[in-house]
Amino acid sequence: MFKFLSREPLHDPLASPASGAATEVKTTTCYMCACRCGIRVHLRDTGNGPEVRYIDGNPNHPLNQGVICAKGASGIMKQVSPARLTQPLRRKQGAERGDGEFEPISWDEAFEMLTERLAKIRATDPKKFALFTGRDQMQALTGLFARQFGTPNYAAHGGFCSVNMAAGMIYTVGGSFWEFGGPDLDRAKLFVMIGTAEDHHSNPMKIALSKFKRAGGRFISINPVRTGYSAIADEWIPIKPGTDGALFMALLHELIASERVDHAFLKRFTNAPQLVVLDDCARQGLFAFDPNPEKGPPGDGRNPHNKLVWCKATRQVLNAYPEGIADGCDPALEGHYQLADGTRVAPAFQLLRERVAECTPQWASAITGIAAERIRALAREMGETALTQAFELPIEWTDAWGKLHKTTQARPVAFHAMRGLAAHSNGFQTVRALAVLMSVLGTIDAPGGFRHKAPYPRHIVPNYRAFNSPEMIQPNTPLNAAPLGFPANPDELAINPDGSPIRIDHAFSWEHPLSAHGLMHNVITNAAKGDPYRIDTLLIFMANMAWNSSMNTMAVREMLNRKDESGEHVIPFLVVCDAFQSETVAFADLVLPDTTYLERHDVMSMLDRPISEFDGPVDSVRVPVVPPSGQCKPFQEVLIELGSRLKFPAFTTAEGTRKFKDYPDFIVNFQPQPGIGFLMGWRGADGQSHLRGEPNPRQWEMYAKNDCVFQYHMPESMHYMRNWNRAYLDFAKEKGWRQKNDPVQLAIYSDTLQSFRLAAQGRTAGRRPPEHLRERIATYFDPLPFWYAPLEEAATDLQAYPLNAITQRPMAMYHSWDSQNAWLRQIHSHNYLQVNPLTAQAAGIADGGWCWVESQWGKVRCMVRHSEAVEPGTVWTWNAIGKADGAWRLAPGADEARKGFLLNHLISEELPFGAGTISNSDPITGQAGWYDVRVRIRPAAPEEPEVTFPQVATVPGGKS
Ligand code: SF4
């Protein structure tokens, strides 16, 4: 038994190996956060098998080049954590959910129990099984499992993380930040980071920033709080949370008014010159098109089509597709025109110009708190750096229309943004505004700007159609479309004939049409309400939904234990798979013990979320470096086993026998398309093919021998301008990364969004939103970016609750993952509310004093730190530091429970809407509005206990 309060070390990495024992170094991939650095695990033989001695960065790895962070180096403490779950557990008869009273069972019993239950659901009503996963890295497998099961009720954590960032950028430029693309700091001269403190791309960002600063680059951080990367910024521009979109609109106003935009880029590579119908008709706000059927069908928001431009040289309407802008054509970006049939039209850019005309720096200043002159100067600096400090690289490339470009144009202004923009109910349009700002400066996939990483850019809109009708859910039948996707028009929504949601989380419904990553934050609330129906089994993997991953935490805990009139739980069966005894485990009916990242195989696949670099695709793997502890089994193996027992077609041979022995076998042999598998390196029977080729039985061995990573270097001519780069587009199609090889024109104007608005306005035949959602859709599905106040503001008395409250993730702790980590706990065992001294003094709260933080939804008591690194209208704290007493096998009374706290108690997962409620999320994507809550603060009374509030009953530690 581990002793937390003992002075005895849990593990002594400096102790000598047993006499004569060998030491060994194995390489694998870190998973102490989502960054996926290469690591070397130093092992010693104890006589009882290998033991981890220490972990360092792998210098040969392309991502981190040997750099390791505090979390990565502390993996050893994860391995020996007392909070490990080591055997399957079943809730004891008579014990309540939340009590943590379990009895051990064997894996056979667990599989039999699950198989019997799931088989019944699959044979009757597959949607009654819901699979939701946290920050896992195998969504290609979990998504395949859900699809083969036949349930649409599947998603990972993206809906409560940063789907606004992914969707807002992908629907505009075809790619996004982090895994999908990022700032080219090797060639940038100005770097503007917005809404980012610590990043998913953690060590690579630190490496790039340090080189950038040494090379004399200028780094501006725009954030309500100055922490993390902002600490080394040349300038910190404080901004009020949820107002970034107003800043971007004002920057666009200034850049367009001063003509500091890349006109040539806009004309050739974006939809800025394409003509939009202005007349009051069923096609109002859509692009005009050539009615000649030989020019292709009218667009559906996904495919390039026969759009038109106005040629200023010849004063004629010309086709923009499929030929592209003809030689000698000078397409207008401004003005109003008439087509031959009298239809009034204007270039999309003209409409953008009109949109931002009112968005002056003075207007934005009143919203953001940034002085108007500072906004003007920022726009000037961005425009001048992009345009007058531009340079060309001697790299030839040919565009999608056959034009040879002798050089590649650099635009040395790079941006990076993440959850600070995304986690607001106005985040999608805010991110759209940023993407349009980056586009007008010509920085997309340009040297010094934003660069894609393979397999991006995707089509706008990506060719992933989700399922869209209840008939597609049939007993014992896989879904014939993916559970998740990117809708291009209302026909692609997952709705019933009456317009109501099909999914339990209401994703892809009229409530949140473009919810590409689902809405995990509403699953338990909706399931408890039976809205739109009751489910039977909820399988949660690696997500702490009974604590820091839910808004309104106490209510969610109550819902997990709620029973109906017949005494049955409203969520009848709850399965939790995790490696550690989190708060959520205590609520499970069945606990499946996962392995740590050092004990299993894993892939970071091109089918999912690879670790590609700007210059080419990269995928990587984990291989076991130590055996599993106890009876731990990787969740991947659980899925392969269940899929085989349930006889999913993809997991079963024509003769009805099991197709894959185990997860490594599945990874090598599963091919969604001929020659394409989960891993792209060392394919073909002889291992000599890359990217595409037949399965290679020795593929894992080759990865293990090569630092667990495969990197493919594309020729220089494919490094840039990949939205329109003929060689790259052909190559990407041939390798299976894209379905088509057509160019990806940037969507300055989104006819996709307009198609939803037209449906809401009742102008189009076909699907229309239910009455109560029409105004909402018509308002927010604006084809041009705009800023609106976060939705929670309209439901809040701002006089009573004047402050914004936000959280951020510290560099030394990834969400709640290392709550049990003996080393990392020493850095963050409790948290404070960080308050500007002016604000704290006005409220009468001393530095280190206790205070109450109240929102209209709830209250917490916590300690305060005065900090000048936060703008006066905002308070903030680290997320996921506070714990339920006893969870994670921390000693009762540990600082995490008594001094640590969560802001989640102040945030509601629902907002009032009409006569009912609706998810507290972005109305376009369903992204959780974590950072929209408004609060007030007051001192705690001297006689109050110096303990955080609320407290919950001590979790007994999953005892058996
Ligand atoms: S940033 Fe740190 S924790 Fe994250 S993968 Fe890299 S070494 Fe591991």
Side-chain angles (χ1 to χ4, degrees):
M1 181 66 192
F2 294 99
K3 299 183 198 116
F4 265 96
L5 302 176
S6 159
R7 284 169 181 274
E8 254 174 63
L10 289 175
H11 173 87
D12 181 3
L14 299 178
S16 301
S19 85
T23 58
E24 190 183 5
V25 180
K26 288 187 177 171
T27 59
T28 187
T29 304
C30 185
Y31 200 7
M32 293 294 284
C33 83
C35 184
R36 302 163 296 177
C37 299
I39 50 171
R40 299 187 299 198
V41 183
H42 300 251
L43 302 156
R44 67 181 162 198
D45 189 347
T46 60
N48 286 322
E51 181 192 58
V52 182
R53 189 173 167 84
Y54 68 96
I55 297 171
D56 63 358
N58 182 351
N60 300 325
H61 200 276
L63 201 75
N64 57 315
Q65 300 150 43
V67 173
I68 194 158
C69 75
K71 302 182 294 277
S74 303
I76 194 167
M77 286 294 137
K78 189 166 215 153
Q79 191 59 27
V80 298
S81 165
R84 292 288 303 273
L85 296 163
T86 55
Q87 62 194 113
L89 301 169
R90 172 170 55 199
R91 186 162 55 87
K92 272 189 180 161
Q93 195 81 28
E96 291 294 326
R97 285 187 184 163
D99 286 353
E101 299 277 347
F102 295 109
E103 58 189 9
I105 58 171
S106 68
W107 273 107
D108 271 348
E109 285 175 283
F111 279 128
E112 274 164 29
M113 190 191 305
L114 259 180
T115 308
E116 189 186 338
R117 192 162 193 120
L118 295 183
K120 272 190 201 145
I121 299 172
R122 190 163 185 261
T124 50
D125 190 357
K127 67 178 182 300
K128 295 209 163 204
F129 169 61
L131 168 61
F132 284 83
T133 73
R135 191 61 194 85
D136 71 279
Q137 295 178 340
M138 52 168 149
Q139 289 156 33
L141 174 60
T142 51
L144 174 70
F145 184 90
R147 184 170 174 178
Q148 289 284 310
F149 190 92
T151 180
N153 290 322
Y154 158 78
H157 75 296
F160 66 64
C161 183
S162 278
V163 67
N164 271 338
M165 182 53 65
M169 292 276 288
I170 288 171
Y171 274 88
T172 308
V173 300
S176 184
F177 289 114
W178 185 38
E179 290 149 313
F180 319 120
D184 179 10
L185 294 188
D186 282 347
R187 295 204 166 84
K189 295 180 179 174
L190 173 65
F191 177 45
V192 183
M193 181 181 263
I194 314 138
T196 311
E198 161 64 345
D199 197 45
H200 289 97
H201 207 45
S202 184
N203 283 341
M205 177 59 76
K206 289 169 203 152
I207 296 167
L209 267 177
S210 99
K211 276 196 211 157
F212 175 75
K213 289 274 291 178
R214 286 204 179 96
R218 183 163 146 71
F219 172 20
I220 297 175
S221 168
I222 302 173
N223 202 309
V225 181
R226 182 171 198 170
T227 50
Y229 303 126
S230 303
I232 60 160
D234 297 295
E235 184 180 356
W236 170 48
I237 302 180
I239 185 169
K240 293 191 180 304
T243 69
D244 311 82
L247 173 65
F248 302 144
M249 296 301 283
L251 292 170
L252 281 165
H253 168 99
E254 285 294 291
L255 290 168
I256 292 173
S258 62
E259 299 292 345
R260 288 192 179 95
V261 298
D262 188 341
H263 291 100
F265 179 87
L266 285 169
K267 289 177 183 179
R268 190 159 185 91
F269 300 126
T270 77
N271 67 15
Q274 292 166 12
L275 299 175
V276 178
V277 173
L278 302 179
D279 286 341
D280 187 0
C281 64
R283 289 193 52 79
Q284 185 179 32
L286 297 178
F287 287 107
F289 64 93
D290 187 334
N292 177 357
E294 285 178 14
K295 294 293 183 182
D300 62 358
R302 173 172 277 125
N303 300 314
H305 53 84
N306 45 357
K307 297 177 193 169
L308 307 173
V309 297
W310 179 265
C311 176
K312 286 196 289 186
T314 58
R315 299 193 57 74
Q316 267 185 309
V317 172
L318 296 179
N319 285 85
Y321 276 113
E323 300 91 344
I325 304 298
D327 270 350
C329 170
D330 182 12
L333 289 175
E334 280 134 31
H336 288 80
Y337 307 96
Q338 276 197 340
L339 303 181
D341 64 1
T343 305
R344 292 183 306 116
V345 293
F349 192 75
Q350 171 68 27
L351 303 182
L352 177 67
R353 182 184 276 273
E354 291 168 12
R355 166 59 54 85
V356 300
E358 306 289 314
C359 303
T360 61
Q362 291 89 338
W363 166 82
S365 177
I367 296 167
T368 60
I370 303 171
E373 192 38 53
R374 186 68 201 85
I375 296 173
R376 277 189 207 100
L378 186 57
R380 207 161 41 239
E381 186 175 3
M382 286 175 181
E384 281 177 6
T385 311
L387 301 173
T388 58
Q389 294 187 43
F391 52 92
E392 292 179 2
L393 297 183
I395 300 175
E396 271 190 8
W397 66 286
T398 302
D399 73 22
W401 304 280
K403 179 174 176 182
L404 175 70
H405 300 258
K406 300 293 280 180
T407 59
T408 300
Q409 176 71 58
R411 294 287 177 215
V413 178
F415 294 83
H416 185 66
M418 199 36 77
R419 203 158 176 235
L421 264 61
H424 295 284
S425 53
N426 62 8
F428 178 86
Q429 288 288 9
T430 293
V431 172
R432 274 266 299 146
L434 172 63
V436 170
L437 174 66
M438 291 159 62
S439 301
V440 302
L441 292 170
T443 65
I444 304 301
D445 216 31
F450 166 84
R451 292 181 69 190
H452 291 297
K453 297 175 185 175
Y456 288 83
R458 299 288 197 197
H459 291 98
I460 302 172
V461 179
N463 278 309
Y464 290 108
R465 290 176 175 81
F467 79 105
N468 67 347
S469 80
E471 291 78 45
M472 292 169 83
I473 306 166
Q474 294 294 333
N476 285 330
T477 310
L479 286 177
N480 66 357
L484 302 174
F486 291 87
N489 56 58
D491 285 340
E492 296 183 9
L493 294 181
I495 51 176
N496 293 304
D498 66 357
S500 61
I502 293 178
R503 288 176 54 118
I504 189 68
D505 58 357
H506 297 196
F508 307 107
S509 73
W510 286 108
E511 292 175 22
H512 312 284
L514 308 186
S515 39
H517 294 174
L519 284 87
M520 187 163 178
H521 47 294
N522 282 93
V523 170
I524 292 169
T525 303
N526 293 352
K529 287 198 284 192
D531 175 13
Y533 44 76
R534 294 270 297 269
I535 58 169
D536 178 89
T537 295
L538 173 60
L539 170 51
I540 297 175
F541 172 55
M542 216 174 141
N544 199 5
M545 301 309 290
W547 201 246
N548 52 279
S549 294
S550 281
M551 299 166 159
N552 200 6
T553 303
M554 301 307 258
V556 167
R557 291 165 68 86
E558 180 278 320
M559 289 174 212
L560 286 172
N561 211 2
R562 190 181 295 171
K563 293 178 180 160
D564 63 17
E565 353 24 269
S566 67
E568 188 182 24
H569 281 112
V570 292
I571 302 173
F573 199 60
L574 181 62
V575 186
V576 176
C577 182
D578 209 314
F580 299 97
Q581 191 248 318
S582 74
E583 284 87 348
T584 305
V585 167
F587 288 83
D589 297 306
L590 177 65
V591 179
L592 306 176
D594 193 19
T595 52
T596 68
Y597 68 106
L598 298 177
E599 298 170 344
R600 68 164 174 252
H601 291 92
D602 245 335
V603 296
M604 276 57 74
S605 163
M606 286 290 280
L607 301 184
D608 194 334
R609 308 176 81 148
I611 58 165
S612 296
E613 296 280 307
F614 295 141
D615 295 350
V618 190
D619 65 11
S620 61
V621 303
R622 294 190 184 95
V623 292
V625 295
V626 288
S629 304
Q631 295 175 39
C632 291
K633 197 179 276 296
F635 187 53
Q636 296 98 324
E637 294 290 2
V638 171
L639 294 179
I640 300 294
E641 181 69 33
L642 282 174
S644 305
R645 288 180 182 232
L646 291 165
K647 299 206 178 297
F648 291 170
F651 293 72
T652 311
T653 63
E655 296 74 42
T657 57
R658 182 181 178 129
K659 210 183 240 179
F660 306 108
K661 180 163 70 79
D662 52 20
Y663 175 69
D665 184 36
F666 167 81
I667 288 299
V668 167
N669 291 305
F670 181 77
Q671 297 188 85
Q673 293 177 52
I676 293 183
F678 270 73
L679 292 172
M680 64 179 173
W682 298 287
R683 298 192 68 81
D686 56 0
Q688 296 301 308
S689 305
H690 299 303
L691 307 185
R692 199 161 188 162
E694 292 310 300
N696 168 16
R698 295 183 54 218
Q699 199 174 24
W700 280 105
E701 198 185 311
M702 295 311 294
Y703 272 86
K705 275 187 189 162
N706 287 277
D707 292 309
C708 291
V709 62
F710 173 77
Q711 181 167 22
Y712 184 86
H713 296 278
M714 299 189 304
E716 207 174 41
S717 59
M718 292 190 209
H719 284 187
Y720 299 101
M721 306 301 278
R722 281 163 284 191
N723 291 53
W724 319 273
N725 185 319
R726 173 48 57 219
Y728 175 79
L729 292 167
D730 291 346
F731 180 78
K733 179 166 182 274
E734 185 200 324
K735 300 306 174 196
W737 306 339
R738 310 167 54 80
Q739 289 180 6
K740 296 183 178 180
N741 63 351
D742 48 12
V744 186
Q745 294 293 76
L746 309 185
I748 303 292
Y749 184 94
S750 174
D751 53 346
T752 301
L753 295 178
Q754 179 68 6
S755 71
F756 286 87
R757 173 182 265 185
L758 288 173
Q761 292 170 338
R763 297 197 195 203
T764 43
R767 287 173 158 186
R768 290 177 181 172
E771 188 62 41
H772 70 290
L773 291 166
R774 285 197 182 164
E775 188 185 333
R776 175 175 158 110
I777 296 286
T779 303
Y780 300 112
F781 277 74
D782 193 311
L784 288 165
F786 74 114
W787 180 82
Y788 55 94
L791 301 186
E792 182 154 351
E793 281 196 29
T796 305
D797 177 350
L798 299 179
Q799 300 275 312
Y801 301 98
L803 301 170
N804 290 97
I806 58 174
T807 60
Q808 53 182 317
R809 192 177 62 229
M811 289 210 176
M813 191 81 79
Y814 192 72
H815 304 299
S816 61
W817 284 13
D818 278 285
S819 310
Q820 35 47 38
N821 190 304
W823 287 354
L824 296 174
R825 286 186 67 211
Q826 294 174 44
I827 302 174
H828 296 288
S829 70
H830 62 283
N831 50 326
Y832 294 88
L833 188 75
Q834 308 278 337
V835 186
N836 188 287
L838 296 173
T839 312
Q841 280 153 12
I845 305 168
D847 188 26
W850 286 83
C851 83
W852 284 100
V853 194
E854 297 166 323
S855 75
Q856 61 181 319
W857 317 112
K859 62 180 184 177
V860 297
R861 183 174 55 220
C862 61
M863 288 189 291
V864 162
R865 269 277 170 262
H866 290 194
S867 166
E868 290 182 351
V870 53
E871 69 94 20
T874 302
V875 297
W876 74 274
T877 192
W878 300 123
N879 75 356
I881 300 298
K883 296 284 167 290
D885 200 39
W888 303 91
R889 296 222 173 134
L890 301 183
D895 276 1
E896 284 86 345
R898 298 292 187 236
K899 293 182 180 172
F901 69 101
L902 298 179
L903 273 191
N904 306 47
H905 302 298
L906 304 179
I907 304 171
S908 174
E909 82 281 34
E910 295 191 303
L911 294 176
F913 185 72
T917 56
I918 200 162
S919 173
N920 177 10
S921 298
D922 188 292
I924 299 172
T925 60
Q927 154 96 49
W930 288 106
Y931 298 159
D932 290 345
V933 70
R934 303 293 293 234
V935 302
R936 63 188 174 207
I937 54 174
R938 62 181 169 87
E943 65 276 15
E944 289 186 49
E946 295 193 336
V947 174
T948 51
F949 176 91
Q951 292 284 315
V952 296
T954 301
V955 178
K959 68 187 181 195
S960 57

